[in-house]
Amino acid sequence: MRVQSLTLAVAGAALLAPAPGSAALPAAARPSTPAVVREGDVQAADLLAKLRSCAQISNGRYRSDDGARADIPVCGKQGAVFWKADMDIDCDGRPGARCNSRTDPLFSDATAYQQSDGRQLDAETLPYIVVPGVSRIWNHRDHDVRAGSVAAVIYRDRVQYAVVGDIGPRHIIGEASYATAKALGIRPDPTGGGTGAGVTYLVFKDSRVSPIESHRAAVTLGEGLARKFLKEN
């Protein structure tokens, strides 16, 4: 979870970067070129057409990063909640070649929710999103958003299904796992990746992927709920 702003994270990464002439990171740890993944038949344009207006359900608004303006509301629709924000990269959870304390100065080896076998989620392979911690601004639990709730993350003409897998700061919104960003064609590097705007997070209320680590189950459930959402809104 991102506690510092993206700017501060980049600065921290610069301090940790190898000095000229020193050994570079091994190939496995270097940021990869994002490869866009297409999932399901529901079109991004059709979902976005239903999300043009916002009926705000949060009591206040969120920041995209520390120091940014608080101008991001959480909105409600029948059967879902959504917000439009940036995307910071969450690399937390089980350490791997691309998500570890060396590649990410803000790395945490724990996520708010765990796999069915008790292990931490794997940000490198599991598409998940981060919801803000409960606060006076918004309590996601009051709107039937919990561990394993399925989300459609929309960027440009792409839809990626994900689960709610981690909890972030109480005042910041707009974050998803390394795997989510990579599948959407967003640079997934936790210290310099992400995107500053243009991401829509649509979370289907009272949904739950089981087991939480099954991306196939998330796609199947998410596609069905997305079709239902288009019919009902």
Side-chain angles (χ1 to χ4, degrees):
M1 58 194 75
R2 306 293 92 181
V3 177
Q4 297 173 294
S5 69
L6 187 59
T7 301
L8 290 177
V10 172
L15 291 175
L16 295 177
S22 64
L25 287 175
R30 294 173 194 158
S32 59
T33 302
V36 177
V37 175
R38 302 286 178 179
E39 293 185 335
D41 298 323
V42 175
Q43 299 298 304
D46 293 334
L47 290 174
L48 291 174
K50 301 290 187 178
L51 304 175
R52 288 175 180 161
S53 61
C54 173
Q56 183 171 330
I57 59 172
S58 56
N59 296 318
R61 299 191 174 203
Y62 287 96
R63 305 178 190 275
S64 58
D65 294 294
D66 280 332
R69 289 181 57 193
D71 58 1
I72 304 171
V74 177
C75 313
K77 281 281 187 180
Q78 183 171 337
V81 301
F82 72 95
W83 55 92
K84 299 181 180 183
D86 64 339
M87 182 182 285
D88 291 338
I89 308 302
D90 190 329
C91 242
D92 295 344
R94 196 157 71 246
R98 302 186 185 281
C99 288
N100 55 66
S101 58
R102 186 178 179 190
T103 61
D104 181 2
L106 300 179
F107 178 76
S108 168
D109 61 2
T111 45
Y113 308 116
Q114 288 72 47
Q115 293 187 166
S116 56
D117 61 4
R119 292 192 296 170
Q120 304 299 324
L121 301 184
D122 186 345
E124 293 185 17
T125 62
L126 180 67
Y128 69 74
I129 69 168
V130 181
V131 294
V134 172
S135 72
R136 289 178 293 179
I137 301 175
W138 184 51
N139 183 345
H140 55 273
R141 300 188 191 109
D142 289 344
H143 293 87
D144 298 316
V145 174
R146 298 179 176 84
S149 291
V150 67
V153 187
I154 309 159
Y155 179 67
R156 296 180 177 172
D157 62 344
R158 306 155 197 169
V159 179
Q160 170 72 12
Y161 294 103
V163 294
V164 172
D166 205 359
I167 294 178
R170 295 179 178 180
H171 62 294
I172 293 175
I173 204 167
E175 188 176 0
S177 69
Y178 182 106
T180 308
K182 184 176 180 181
L184 287 168
I186 296 171
R187 187 182 174 200
D189 178 9
T191 60
T195 184
V199 182
T200 300
Y201 302 79
L202 175 64
V203 186
F204 300 106
K205 298 167 64 175
D206 199 27
S207 63
R208 184 172 182 266
V209 174
S210 181
I212 192 173
E213 67 269 20
S214 173
H215 183 57
R216 179 177 296 182
V219 174
T220 300
L221 179 58
E223 184 80 353
L225 289 172
R227 290 196 188 99
K228 181 180 178 182
F229 175 82
L230 291 174
K231 290 179 181 179
E232 295 181 346
N233 287 276

